[in-house]
Amino acid sequence: MTRVVLLGASPGPDTSPTGLRLAALPGEPTVAERLRSQLTPLDPRLAVIPSDDVAAALRNLADVAETATESLLIIPENSVVHDELIYQITKTKRGALALVAKEPRPDTEEEAQEDSVPIDEAEPEIGLSRVEGLPVRSRVGKSRVVSVGTAAHAVTRPNAAMLGPVHLSARNAPILAQTCRELAAMAHTFGPDDDLVQLVVFGLVRNGVSVGIRGRRDLFYRRVTTQEEVNEAGAEMAGMDEDRARLNNAVKGADGFFTTFFVSTYSRFIARWAARRGLTPNQVTLISIALGVAAAACFATGDRPWMVLGGVLIYFAFVFDCVDGQVARYARKFGVLGAWLDATFDRFKEYVVFAGLAVGYVVAGHGDDIWIFALAALSLQSVRHLLDFSFGISNRRKPPGQLPTLPLNAPDDRALRQALVRRKVERSQGLRGLLKMWTKAGKFRAVHWARKMIVFPIGERFAAIAITAALFDARITFLTLVIWGSLAAAYTLTGRLMRSLV
């Protein structure tokens, strides 16, 4: 569940969302009516906090946070937003996430040179530029908010504006409550351009909360204050394909090379077709299992034509293994049974294919020593799965790293920047430095995909089985699985040992 907090706009004929109508949408709902209808399924209670008195609004927000037992979504009431963007924000795994708009990059050579000055050498400043009417008073990095300024707090080289929605996990709710009360006590220092969203993120960052960032990408979000802006927003949003964005978001963004380029390019369309015809993720999983068993039966014949057909079937078994998750994310149908079935029968398909390959090798008269290779491949893969599971459990128990803090009344972020620089230097030494260098190497596409492939994910394993079984025999298939799997195990075990020691 999610606790939703609507930050009401100040009253007035031009700014109140209750009087602004989205003429481009059926029924011409007001901005507030549409947003409430979008958010009610998340939280029927919908806490509404007027924002005309900043101090009172911050205290009210603190009251809500203190009683919250679930995650919090804070969003301005004058927001025009796609349903899919709300969904993506509320499903984040980050402890805190803010929607931001980055300032356009410099176009001139002079501006580019100025932007190349190291942050720790730059002078803090009050952001004066604006993006979509919002002040650019935030400094963001690749994945999180680095610093936020206000009318009375300078930030080093601001490069982004806080658009509106902020999502926080339940564990950060107490920090939000404390932050809001501290901010309320200093409300007299804020200016008319300082809205509540910006102030909340300002306080969270200075209190050491890691606030992740997200852009709109191919989805729509805008805060509106006049009917003209509402008309523009409605027309722009109507021209965007939200369903296509939803479909693209149904595909995992961190898949392996084979899955990314040889499956996900078209499997998403199968997922949409299946979802629109009422197929559930569990039904698609059963199709994948049936194809895997059929592939094992083909391999068990030992005949070349059937081996080729088995290779084709195991490929499509993997395709539908991807489709079931994409159907779940596209149709938003999740369940414990589905997650269990998917994880369990992925292993079942793999191991039943091992058995089919071994049986086919014996039937073809090549000898029964193949069972030693089959047992080696199965044992190696079982150990790898065990290590993956145990490391994942241990990693979730690891407390998040502490970020530097800064008093809310500090006039600029110099001390915060200095602390971050020191932290960066410390993390660049020893094992941390080595891991960081390897992480940075991922910006090169060849290294990125090599790292994805070396761990021998399920897509690469199924591709290796399909190709080697169709072209060669089971001995070559098992040798490929054992050799590549051993390299993958050594690589992942080394990396996890290093990460466990830092």
Side-chain angles (χ1 to χ4, degrees), residues 255 441-453:
D255 274 328
K443 67 181 180 180
F444 300 105
R445 287 182 63 83
V447 175
H448 171 79
W449 290 118
R451 292 194 318 199
K452 290 282 189 182
M453 294 177 69

Side-chain angles (χ1 to χ4, degrees), residues 70-114:
E70 56 275 285
S71 60
L72 285 160
L73 175 65
I74 305 168
I75 182 169
E77 196 178 22
N78 60 338
S79 298
V80 180
V81 58
H82 270 139
D83 290 331
E84 178 63 16
L85 185 54
I86 295 174
Y87 176 79
Q88 292 295 324
I89 292 172
T90 55
K91 293 304 177 184
T92 180
K93 295 180 180 179
R94 298 287 302 243
L97 183 74
L99 190 69
V100 304
K102 289 188 178 181
E103 192 174 35
R105 293 183 177 182
D107 296 324
T108 67
E109 183 178 350
E110 182 180 350
E111 288 174 319
Q113 289 175 352
E114 182 182 350

Side-chain angles (χ1 to χ4, degrees), residues 49 57-67 176-178 180-181:
I49 298 177
L58 288 167
R59 286 191 291 268
N60 289 335
L61 182 55
D63 291 339
V64 174
E66 283 177 343
T67 59
L176 173 64
Q178 174 192 341
C180 287
R181 298 208 183 280

